[in-house]
Amino acid sequence: MKTLVLGASDNPERYSYQALIRLQKHQHEVVAIGRKATEVDGILIQEGLPELADVDTVTLYINPTHQQGYYDYIIGLRPRRVIFNPGTENPAFYALLTSHGIHIEVACTLVLLAMHHY
């Protein structure tokens, strides 16, 4: 299953960086979008709105204000679920995703992985 980390960073102190590393460690296919094109442990962080296919999960690391620019993009990916990590909670987006049949989880990707509930 492919996971998109949206808001990915190459800064080891950021939770999105840790998510990239741990998702890969747990054998999940990972794609990433961030503010700048770079690489983390062999994972290319892309900019903009790249064409992606077969995304099962989108895990968000951007605040609700910045999420608005990604609404149509995320819906267009047709993921099975979107994970809202701490600080990304957005009830307006929950309703929009749910209306498109996309499951939402308000959770921490790192905790889900640690508890083997990802």
Side-chain angles (χ1 to χ4, degrees), residues 90-116:
N90 185 347
F93 196 20
Y94 303 164
L96 186 58
L97 291 167
T98 302
S99 74
H100 283 88
I102 299 169
H103 179 71
I104 62 123
E105 281 189 55
V106 179
C108 176
T109 295
L110 299 173
V111 171
L112 292 173
L113 287 165
M115 295 176 59
H116 303 288

Side-chain angles (χ1 to χ4, degrees), residues 73-103:
Y73 178 72
I74 293 170
I75 291 166
L77 292 174
R78 301 187 192 287
R80 178 178 58 87
R81 68 177 172 167
V82 174
I83 299 173
F84 289 83
N85 287 281
T88 67
E89 298 88 349
N90 185 347
F93 196 20
Y94 303 164
L96 186 58
L97 291 167
T98 302
S99 74
H100 283 88
I102 299 169
H103 179 71

Side-chain angles (χ1 to χ4, degrees), residues 45-63:
I45 298 177
Q46 303 175 70
E47 295 176 287
L49 306 173
E51 285 191 35
L52 300 173
D54 304 319
V55 174
D56 175 76
T57 300
V58 175
T59 185
L60 296 175
Y61 288 94
I62 55 176
N63 71 45

